[in-house]
Amino acid sequence: MSEQPTNPASILVVDDEVNGFDVIETLLFDQGYQLYYAPSGEKALEFLQTCQPDVILLDVMMPEMDGMEVCRRVKAGYDGQYIPIIMVTALTAKENLAQCLQAGADDFVGKPINGLELRARVASMLRIRQQHKNIEQLCLQLQSNNQNLEAEVAERTKQLQQRIHYDPLTGFPSRTSLLETLERELSHCQKYNQSLALLYIDCDEFNLINSSLGYEIGDRILVAISERLSSYLKSEDRLFRTGEDEFCILLKSIKDTKELSETAADILQLFEESFVVESYETFISVSIGISLTNAEYQNPQDMVRDADTAMYKAKTKGPGTYRIFDQELKNAIGKRLSLENDLRRALERKEFIVYYQPIINLKTEQICGFEALIRWQHPQRGMVSPGEFIPCLEDTGFIVPVGLEVMQQACQQLKTWQEQGATDLEMSVNLSVRQFSHPTLLEDLHRIIQTNNIHPSDLKLEITESAIVDNPDATVTSIQKMRQAQIKLAIDDFGTGYSSLSYLQKFPVDNLKVDRSFVKSISENHRNYYILQEIVKLGQALGMTVTAEGIETETQMRQLQNLGCEYAQGYFFAKPMSGEEATQLLREKIAV
Ligand code: C2E
Ligand code: MG
Ligand code: MG
């Protein structure tokens, strides 16, 4: 910014004697300033109401209002406070000058006025004035920038609000909108005793569309779905896009569940026709969960949650189905929640115990190991089997600490038996998918093995085929680490999961536990006999031993012996039993 004023600088000269003005005018004659004259303090103040000079030259000695008073008043005013004032005075004693400064003056020149001094002082004050003007301008600029910024922020906020409330892809209201609308509608329904239904619609396996046709086509199909859904709706109903492949419909004035079921069936039917985008024709089905208003819904989230739960339930029935959230579902969820709570407490209260089922060497017909099988000693229900609670433990991830507890108990029991003389025993422990992929599994195993002072090769972990197939890369690494640590591995329920045998080469384990469904009908069903024969041969070829599960009769045992199967386990030999019972059994059989 230039320091030089572009317009001529203006100077107001205040003096009761016109001669005083004349002297100054003469002295500043060639400086290019614009001079104004005020013959009294009042006139000067009057002048300042309309004009803003750059400097004021103010005579001190004036009748009525003297220069000091004028100076004070000018500096007290909003417009005058930044105008530099040079006092013109014959009284140049220090105290007089100090009084001038106290009154707010910026400088002074003594009378008689020296031209050089006057010009220098005026120029100096003009510089200060210009600097102040520059700052003022900067402030104005800043103010305007600020205003622009505020306007921009306001615009962005508006856009953001729009984005929060509307889905940019389909243009339909979003999940936030749904919750807000639902909140209003719920209180309306309660007030006027009306009903409202929420349909939670989720596309079945939409990820397959994205992965096979790409996200661009996927997006266009989603737009087409939203259009198809909205074309079905009545004017008072509302469609929302609440997630990637999720839509919600709010249906007002629904009469009864019969009408609701018809509507859901109609919506499912909308998807019988294919979607064509570019040259791709695809069929998509949806699963629908429905919640209906009732007095219990105090907030929108609850109603959405129940519709969502019903939708997941519908998905378990198969694609293209709907489910209304009803009392039955509510009870099931209640039961499940209380099971979760009970299980949480069960670990603290040490209600989990381990049963042991012997594994028999078919050549020697002697016990060669045990499988540790968890039991829940429920304070009211008695002994609960794992089938009832393992899935819940897996879903909640609680299987990890519970599984470690089983492992600890089993290893401790093994050590006790070894110390009592049964040195050739192996302990098999089941591991679920969640446990097998848990990052601290190996550390935990090492700790338990060390604490109980057993040899790692006395421990055999049973994993299911799904644990392998679900996460093949991580499994290869885990299996390698287990092998390095000398811990044995078995594939449990072999033959029930994935019939592909190719993974056996990739995942070298020590043992295959053939599922009991093969053993069960071995004598009546020749097919199963041959399958078992092949599995035994396959195991031998790959260097794996084979254990047959679920032997219930002597005939089954003999047949498996004929097939050359190494190990067996089943009710024929013994059912799973407590640690004490197993100790007793060992005593009888091998005189521990
Ligand atoms: P699994 O590992 O295949 O265990 C064998 C199951 O078959 C056991 O059921 C056992 O009692 C039963 N069984 C053994 N012999 C016979 C027989 O001759 N006939 C019949 N009908 N059944 C027989 P259980 O103890 O109810 O365990 C069921 C499943 O629960 C186990 O199947 C295993 O997958 C799981 N499980 C048990 N304990 C644990 C554990 O500590 N951790 C994990 N992750 N899973 C466990
Ligand atoms: Mg098992
Ligand atoms: Mg099994």
Side-chain angles (χ1 to χ4, degrees), residues 371 430 462 464 491-494 513-516 549 569:
E371 176 173 7
N430 293 285
E462 298 190 3
T464 53
I491 294 182
D492 204 353
D493 306 338
F494 184 75
K513 290 192 83 173
V514 188
D515 191 66
R516 71 166 182 269
E549 291 187 290
Q569 180 182 352

Side-chain angles (χ1 to χ4, degrees), residues 298-317:
Q298 296 297 339
N299 65 60
Q301 282 89 348
D302 291 352
M303 195 168 174
V304 176
R305 181 204 58 211
D306 286 353
D308 191 13
T309 307
M311 187 275 290
Y312 272 102
K313 207 72 200 163
K315 272 208 196 282
T316 59
K317 274 195 288 176

Side-chain angles (χ1 to χ4, degrees), residues 272-547:
E272 279 177 11
E273 203 182 306
S274 66
F275 288 87
V276 182
V277 169
E278 284 185 3
S279 54
Y280 301 103
E281 184 183 16
T282 27
F283 284 90
I284 289 164
S285 67
V286 294
S287 300
I288 307 176
I290 304 166
S291 56
L292 253 174
T293 42
N294 59 38
E296 280 175 37
Y297 287 129
Q298 296 297 339
N299 65 60
Q301 282 89 348
D302 291 352
M303 195 168 174
V304 176
R305 181 204 58 211
D306 286 353
D308 191 13
T309 307
M311 187 275 290
Y312 272 102
K313 207 72 200 163
K315 272 208 196 282
T316 59
K317 274 195 288 176
T321 49
Y322 71 89
R323 170 81 199 239
I324 298 175
F325 189 87
D326 52 14
Q327 195 55 42
E328 190 193 331
L329 200 51
K330 199 172 164 190
N331 292 345
I333 288 165
K335 252 173 103 175
R336 169 68 191 236
L337 277 177
S338 82
L339 177 64
E340 276 178 28
N341 282 336
D342 282 358
L343 285 172
R344 246 173 258 278
R345 274 194 292 266
L347 184 63
E348 290 160 22
R349 295 181 183 168
K350 302 207 175 299
E351 290 169 6
F352 293 116
I353 57 163
V354 181
Y355 266 32
Y356 301 92
Q357 187 177 30
I359 297 172
I360 309 297
N361 180 327
L362 282 176
K363 276 200 190 101
T364 61
E365 294 186 21
Q366 294 297 311
I367 298 174
C368 59
F370 284 89
E371 176 173 7
L373 293 160
I374 190 171
R375 295 289 179 269
W376 179 12
Q377 240 176 347
H378 195 281
Q380 282 91 41
R381 295 169 57 197
M383 205 62 85
V384 186
S385 288
E388 280 191 54
F389 61 88
I390 292 260
C392 182
L393 284 179
E394 281 173 352
D395 289 350
T396 53
F398 214 50
I399 188 73
V400 174
V402 173
L404 289 178
E405 172 65 23
V406 171
M407 189 77 67
Q408 162 57 29
Q409 286 190 31
C411 291
Q412 197 176 342
Q413 180 64 77
L414 179 68
K415 184 68 193 171
T416 310
W417 286 333
Q418 285 175 346
E419 281 171 351
Q420 290 170 350
T423 45
D424 293 339
L425 289 183
E426 234 179 36
M427 183 61 81
S428 298
V429 182
N430 293 285
L431 274 197
S432 74
V433 183
R434 279 291 268 271
Q435 291 170 273
F436 193 62
S437 57
H438 197 265
T440 64
L441 173 68
L442 253 137
E443 274 168 53
D444 295 332
L445 286 174
H446 279 307
R447 199 187 54 247
I448 293 173
I449 287 170
Q450 266 172 8
T451 323
N452 292 291
N453 193 23
I454 58 165
H455 196 272
S457 64
D458 294 339
L459 185 61
K460 191 187 276 174
L461 304 179
E462 298 190 3
I463 53 172
T464 53
E465 287 165 290
S466 55
I468 295 176
V469 180
D470 284 356
N471 203 347
D473 293 337
T475 309
V476 173
T477 330
S478 298
I479 289 182
Q480 276 166 353
K481 285 187 181 155
M482 300 279 180
R483 288 185 85 84
Q484 275 164 11
Q486 294 178 286
I487 298 169
K488 291 200 182 119
L489 282 169
I491 294 182
D492 204 353
D493 306 338
F494 184 75
T496 53
Y498 300 83
S499 38
S500 156
L501 299 174
S502 58
Y503 68 80
L504 283 181
Q505 270 171 318
K506 217 164 139 201
F507 306 104
V509 296
D510 304 275
N511 177 250
L512 299 178
K513 290 192 83 173
V514 188
D515 191 66
R516 71 166 182 269
S517 54
F518 293 98
V519 176
K520 206 173 160 204
S521 47
I522 181 173
S523 45
E524 310 115 55
N525 185 334
H526 289 299
R527 222 173 94 85
N528 274 354
Y529 182 87
Y530 291 118
I531 291 175
L532 267 173
Q533 193 173 32
E534 288 312 308
I535 293 176
V536 173
K537 275 197 213 154
L538 181 83
Q540 281 163 353
L542 294 171
M544 301 168 183
T545 55
V546 176
T547 308

Side-chain angles (χ1 to χ4, degrees), residues 51-79:
C51 276
Q52 288 263 296
D54 293 314
V55 170
I56 300 173
L57 282 165
L58 181 57
D59 187 26
V60 175
M61 304 281 273
M62 287 191 295
E64 287 160 30
M65 197 190 292
D66 69 358
M68 298 289 190
E69 183 56 26
V70 177
C71 183
R72 266 191 289 273
R73 290 201 190 183
V74 172
K75 291 291 181 180
Y78 177 78
D79 292 331

